[in-house]
Amino acid sequence: MDTFVTIVQLAIAAAVINNFVLHYFVGICSFLGVSRRIDMALGMGLAVTFVMAIAGLLSWVFTYYLLRPFAPLPAWVWHMVGGDPGVTIDLSVLSYILYIFVIAASVQFVEMYIRKFFPGLYKAFGIYLPLITTNCAILFACLEIMKQLQDPTRLWGLGEALTLSIFGGLGYTLAIVLMAGIREEMDRCDVPRSLRGPGISLIVAGILAMAFMGFAGVDRAIETTFTVLMKK
Amino acid sequence: MSSSEPTAMERFINGILPENPIYRQLLGMCPTLAVTGAMKPAMTMAVSTAFVLIAANLMISLIRRLLKPHLRILIFTLTIATFVTITDRFLAAYLYEMSKALGPYVPLIIVNCIIISRCEICAATQGPFTAFCDGVGMSLGFALALASLATVREILGSGSWFGIMLLPKEWPHWTIMILSPGAFFALGLLLGLANWISRRRQEAAARQANEPY
């Protein structure tokens, strides 16, 4: 039950409270670039969520077994070659390079999948699909997972890592779809000429961010509710 | 080198204002928005990005004849990731507080679109000296953009600049300017201002060209 509450809290925190786009400012490029029409925004959001889930899974596996301090695999190799047991092997210096490989591979996989099964969507994405590789949001999810695996006393399990990446991706989808909806309406508005295009989009994003600030504290409220329910 | 490509000097000048990475090309938005709550982190970010950009530009330019088209982007990102790792370790060793404050945004330099686009546009086709000048110019443009945004946000949000109090104590701190919505508002309005100025200048130039004498 405790785990369940933690997961729910984590999911809500990742999706709305600390929304990747509106709170951490990652993935702004695609947020401004692909948010012209709702259907494209939804497709892009789901593709990012999918890549993020795969990349989150892989980066958790690599970080847990290979990269973190006290990771089992390098420690075993160190033991086999007869190294000094007092030395801790810390390969986290390699993590950024490895994450880039993981993300590039996941994007390649998603690209192949979409090209095979959804050719229409593949054409609609165009250049933006390979550009997911350089989408900050995905690397950000990997880095958050890495941060939680640095301290050996309380490690994140695979469940937490997957929750963060999937719900982070859904939060990104939510933000980009909301933005696309607003921008479709804004086509009919009389925007000052200098602000047209990215300027007004950024200001609208600011208002959205302000609205999302209202979610602060929801995770604690959920915890309290669950504790009260458990007592009954 | 073909004559159609810009020379080193043009690359350098272009980076600062005419092709400013933030206000003109709208690249590298996430560090721009995230670290400009105050001047100090913004300038640390600008210097780190400058180091990575110049080093990656030089490196890519030196190996440009070996690049394979389909593996290009991957090579770019791996080169950048190497230099970012160096920067990250350096910051953690010598500026520990700052490295804590910047958090994930230092590693996120890897996916900064500015660097990848400069590698693609300039370093992959031109020689090391041109690539170096391009890197310096673009970094200056990026630093300028970060500084303008951070100045507005820090002065309005905490009444100080580089930690020095500028406004009187009675100044009601606009906390929103330090939080995330303020970043969006400030950048949106500054972008509008930049567009407005450049349009005014274009109109003035057009008027001058149409003068009867």
Side-chain angles (χ1 to χ4, degrees), chain A residues 98-118:
Chain A
L98 201 70
Y99 291 159
I100 290 294
F101 263 119
V102 164
I103 294 170
S106 329
V107 170
Q108 200 69 43
F109 176 69
V110 171
E111 200 181 335
M112 272 155 37
Y113 182 81
I114 292 186
R115 185 158 34 174
K116 180 97 173 75
F117 293 102
F118 307 97

Side-chain angles (χ1 to χ4, degrees), chain A residues 48-176:
Chain A
V48 167
T49 311
F50 193 55
V51 175
M52 211 184 271
I54 297 174
L57 171 75
L58 288 175
S59 69
W60 183 85
V61 169
F62 279 122
T63 318
Y64 190 86
Y65 289 107
L66 201 62
L67 294 173
R68 72 188 169 94
F70 308 101
L73 214 61
W76 179 75
V77 173
W78 187 242
H79 177 73
M80 290 309 280
V81 299
D84 177 11
V87 178
T88 316
I89 309 291
D90 185 359
L91 291 181
S92 22
V93 104
L94 291 176
S95 41
Y96 303 157
I97 294 179
L98 201 70
Y99 291 159
I100 290 294
F101 263 119
V102 164
I103 294 170
S106 329
V107 170
Q108 200 69 43
F109 176 69
V110 171
E111 200 181 335
M112 272 155 37
Y113 182 81
I114 292 186
R115 185 158 34 174
K116 180 97 173 75
F117 293 102
F118 307 97
L121 202 60
Y122 180 79
K123 271 210 192 96
F125 278 144
I127 182 69
Y128 283 103
L129 197 59
L131 274 186
I132 296 182
T133 314
T134 56
N135 190 319
C136 332
I138 294 163
L139 184 63
F140 181 78
C142 295
L143 291 168
E144 281 293 293
I145 292 168
M146 176 183 123
K147 199 170 87 192
Q148 301 294 339
L149 285 171
Q150 290 298 311
D151 180 8
T153 49
R154 40 173 197 85
L155 289 176
W156 264 19
L158 184 56
E160 276 112 332
L162 272 182
T163 314
L164 176 88
S165 36
I166 292 172
F167 280 89
L170 288 179
Y172 173 89
T173 314
L174 179 68
I176 196 171

Side-chain angles (χ1 to χ4, degrees), chain A residues 21-29 31-32 90 92-98 100-101 104 133-137 139-140 143-144 146-147 193-196 198-207 209-210 213, chain B residues 26-31 33-35 73-74 77-78 81-82 84-85 88-89 104-113 116 153 176 179-185 187-189 191-193 195-197 199 203:
Chain A
V21 178
L22 299 170
H23 186 266
Y24 287 120
F25 311 108
V26 289
I28 298 281
C29 290
F31 178 67
L32 294 178
D90 185 359
S92 22
V93 104
L94 291 176
S95 41
Y96 303 157
I97 294 179
L98 201 70
I100 290 294
F101 263 119
T133 314
T134 56
N135 190 319
C136 332
L139 184 63
F140 181 78
L143 291 168
E144 281 293 293
M146 176 183 123
K147 199 170 87 192
R193 244 179 83 190
S194 308
L195 283 177
R196 263 174 221 170
I200 195 72
S201 310
L202 280 167
I203 292 172
V204 167
I207 299 172
M210 214 153 34
M213 275 169 73
Chain B
L26 301 169
L27 291 175
M29 286 301 197
C30 52
L33 291 165
V35 301
I73 301 285
L74 189 63
T77 15
L78 286 178
T82 315
V84 168
T85 310
D88 187 43
R89 296 284 138 166
Y105 296 106
V106 178
L108 281 178
I109 296 177
I110 300 173
V111 284
N112 192 325
C113 334
I116 298 174
R153 286 183 66 193
I176 194 89
L179 299 176
S180 47
F184 286 113
F185 290 142
L187 185 59
L189 291 175
L191 212 64
L193 186 69
N195 282 343
W196 183 72
I197 292 174
R199 222 184 56 230
E203 279 168 10

Side-chain angles (χ1 to χ4, degrees), chain B:
Chain B
M1 204 186 292
S2 66
S3 56
S4 63
E5 279 174 337
T7 59
M9 198 58 201
E10 282 168 2
R11 286 283 193 203
F12 177 74
I13 302 285
N14 271 349
I16 301 178
L17 280 179
E19 285 178 20
N20 186 293
I22 306 291
Y23 290 121
R24 283 272 160 265
Q25 305 183 42
L26 301 169
L27 291 175
M29 286 301 197
C30 52
T32 316
L33 291 165
V35 301
T36 49
M39 274 306 266
K40 271 183 199 162
M43 285 301 101
T44 319
M45 183 51 123
V47 173
S48 322
T49 312
F51 166 71
V52 177
L53 176 53
I54 295 169
N57 249 3
L58 266 179
M59 188 62 100
I60 293 292
S61 165
L62 288 174
I63 60 169
R64 66 185 186 280
R65 299 197 198 285
L66 302 173
L67 292 174
K68 300 274 175 292
H70 54 288
L71 283 177
R72 211 179 52 232
I73 301 285
L74 189 63
I75 297 291
F76 292 166
T77 15
L78 286 178
T79 316
I80 297 165
T82 315
F83 287 114
V84 168
T85 310
I86 297 172
T87 315
D88 187 43
R89 296 284 138 166
F90 182 85
L91 283 182
Y94 292 100
L95 292 167
Y96 184 68
E97 290 300 314
M98 193 44 82
S99 130
K100 273 266 175 254
L102 287 177
Y105 296 106
V106 178
L108 281 178
I109 296 177
I110 300 173
V111 284
N112 192 325
C113 334
I114 298 173
I115 304 179
I116 298 174
S117 87
R118 285 341 285 173
C119 287
E120 168 90 29
I121 294 171
C122 177
T125 54
Q126 292 183 302
F129 180 66
T130 319
F132 176 78
C133 292
D134 181 71
V136 175
M138 279 293 158
S139 317
L140 280 178
F142 184 61
L144 205 69
L146 282 191
S148 59
L149 193 56
T151 306
V152 171
R153 286 183 66 193
E154 193 178 352
I155 290 181
L156 290 180
S158 25
S160 60
W161 193 71
F162 259 116
I164 309 160
M165 288 308 286
L166 283 185
L167 298 176
K169 235 194 227 127
E170 292 76 32
W171 173 257
H173 295 321
W174 297 12
T175 318
I176 194 89
M177 292 309 284
I178 305 181
L179 299 176
S180 47
F184 286 113
F185 290 142
L187 185 59
L189 291 175
L190 279 177
L191 212 64
L193 186 69
N195 282 343
W196 183 72
I197 292 174
S198 73
R199 222 184 56 230
R200 290 267 307 224
R201 286 179 56 180
Q202 268 170 19
E203 279 168 10
R207 224 176 299 129
Q208 224 158 34
N210 289 340
E211 293 276 303
Y213 42 88

Side-chain angles (χ1 to χ4, degrees), chain A residues 196-230:
Chain A
R196 263 174 221 170
I200 195 72
S201 310
L202 280 167
I203 292 172
V204 167
I207 299 172
L208 265 182
M210 214 153 34
F212 271 70
M213 275 169 73
F215 284 111
V218 174
D219 51 346
R220 276 193 301 281
I222 286 179
E223 196 182 6
T224 336
T225 321
F226 271 112
T227 3
V228 171
L229 281 178
M230 295 275 276

